[in-house]
Amino acid sequence: SLQRLSEYSRHLASYHVIVHSLRRHALDTPRQVTPTLWAHATGGRGVLHSWTRMLAQARRLVRAHPFDLVQSQDPVFTGTVGDVISHRGGLPHNVCVYGSNPFDPHWVRESAWTRLAAPIGRRVLRRAAGVQADGSRTQRALLGAGLAEEAVAVKPMVPHDLDRFFDAIADPSLRRELSNGGRFDRLALFVGRLAPQKDLPLLLDAAASVRARYP
């Protein structure tokens, strides 16, 4: 994450990131990571206290710096802070939808918290100047919910170190370890949360179908 944010900061005169954290993490703040990147830890006693500290820090930063854009990592937790700051400061608000999609019925049904949070997230997205989605399926869901086409952009989360990953899985010793001592000759990689909307059973069914058709 630091490498990714540092790369972003190379293109900006000033980039301030407020990081949700708890007191037990004992993070020094603010911390200057690059000449143009600063990280600010909230250091809250709990999640709600961290949210209030995030809002207070954002207000102080907006008063001290002539920002051009407010960006939130999700539509609910950071999105509500970004929504308040952007509208009070007259700044455009860009919101990332990378998993937490309040228009996705699977996400909404995940827990009591998501059912309560969904209406809040929908309001934040509808008021945002721009929305950044992780794929075309999420984009279609957002457009189907009424968001303007010109406001929704797709930016897949592609890791910066894919070459290192492919070098690692090509290593024979690692393949033997992952294949249970050579018991399996094919490996499938799943990257994601073990949550209902990720539909891992579909992957397992697809793997079984492929194996049956191409032994």
Side-chain angles (χ1 to χ4, degrees), residues 3 18 32-33 59 63 67 156 169 206 208:
Q3 290 180 347
I18 303 176
Q32 186 171 5
V33 182
R59 284 173 170 168
R63 286 196 295 266
F67 291 117
I169 63 172

Side-chain angles (χ1 to χ4, degrees), residues 146-182:
L147 272 64
E149 185 172 359
E150 63 273 14
V152 182
V154 175
K155 181 181 180 296
M157 284 287 284
V158 179
H160 71 280
D161 56 353
L162 275 179
D163 289 339
R164 288 175 54 199
F165 169 76
F166 286 117
D167 288 343
I169 63 172
D171 182 83
S173 61
L174 178 62
R175 288 192 65 88
R176 280 196 300 272
E177 178 184 349
L178 294 176
S179 62
N180 195 12

Side-chain angles (χ1 to χ4, degrees), residues 2-11:
L2 277 176
Q3 290 180 347
R4 175 168 49 85
L5 296 175
S6 298
E7 178 64 25
Y8 292 162
S9 73
R10 291 180 57 246
H11 306 279

Side-chain angles (χ1 to χ4, degrees), residues 16-39:
H16 290 259
V17 180
I18 303 176
V19 183
H20 162 55
S21 66
L22 302 179
R23 286 186 177 178
R24 66 173 182 270
H25 299 142
L27 297 175
D28 296 329
T29 188
R31 179 182 299 177
Q32 186 171 5
V33 182
T34 74
T36 57
L37 171 61
W38 285 263

